[in-house]
Amino acid sequence: MMIPIPDGSQRELGIPTVLDRLIQQALLQVLQPRIDPGFSEHSHGFGPGRRAHDAVKAARAYVQSGKRGVVSERHLGTPQGGPLSPSLANVLLDEVDKALEARGYSFARYADDCNVCVGGITAAYCPTAC
């Protein structure tokens, strides 16, 4: 099933069967305690103690510290709809989080939406200006 997204395009929404949902939930309960503690502190989506509100607070703090430009990365992610989908997004994007951290970038990620806060509009459009 396809759902509309704000830019006018569509995104796949995976609606698992009852059995698939049951299996995904069982996998999540086993895997999440093992993988979640290693995720970046900048990852605010879908895990114990992680909330969208924390991503917003982090982004606001970056703006208040003088970061005025935002590089917003939005590409295809994992299909939405199943209990395991958010954790799969975190697993796939954890390497990106660690690379951004290693380079000293200010960023907040919620599920598969990531905003990198930079010094100004020029830096947001020209990564070499950072």
Side-chain angles (χ1 to χ4, degrees), residues 5-113:
I5 56 176
D7 68 3
S9 62
Q10 295 187 336
R11 182 175 190 149
E12 182 179 1
L13 175 64
I15 303 174
T17 65
V18 173
L19 181 59
D20 286 344
R21 184 172 287 280
L22 179 71
I23 292 169
Q24 286 185 33
Q25 186 63 42
L27 284 169
L28 181 62
Q29 288 176 320
V30 171
L31 294 175
Q32 191 169 45
R34 294 180 178 154
I35 60 176
D36 196 71
F39 289 149
S40 166
E41 66 184 46
H42 301 279
S43 171
H44 300 285
F46 303 104
R50 299 173 188 268
R51 308 174 308 149
H53 184 70
D54 294 329
V56 172
K57 281 175 46 179
R60 282 187 180 155
Y62 294 136
V63 169
Q64 290 172 351
S65 75
K67 307 282 186 183
R68 299 288 185 228
V70 175
V71 179
S72 180
E73 293 293 329
R74 291 209 165 92
H75 298 285
L76 293 176
T78 59
Q80 296 177 335
L84 199 53
S85 298
S87 288
L88 290 176
N90 284 338
V91 167
L92 290 172
L93 293 171
D94 189 56
E95 189 174 330
V96 173
D97 293 344
K98 300 265 171 36
L100 290 170
E101 287 172 355
R103 288 169 176 81
Y105 285 104
S106 302
F107 70 99
R109 183 173 64 78
Y110 182 76
D112 62 353
D113 290 327

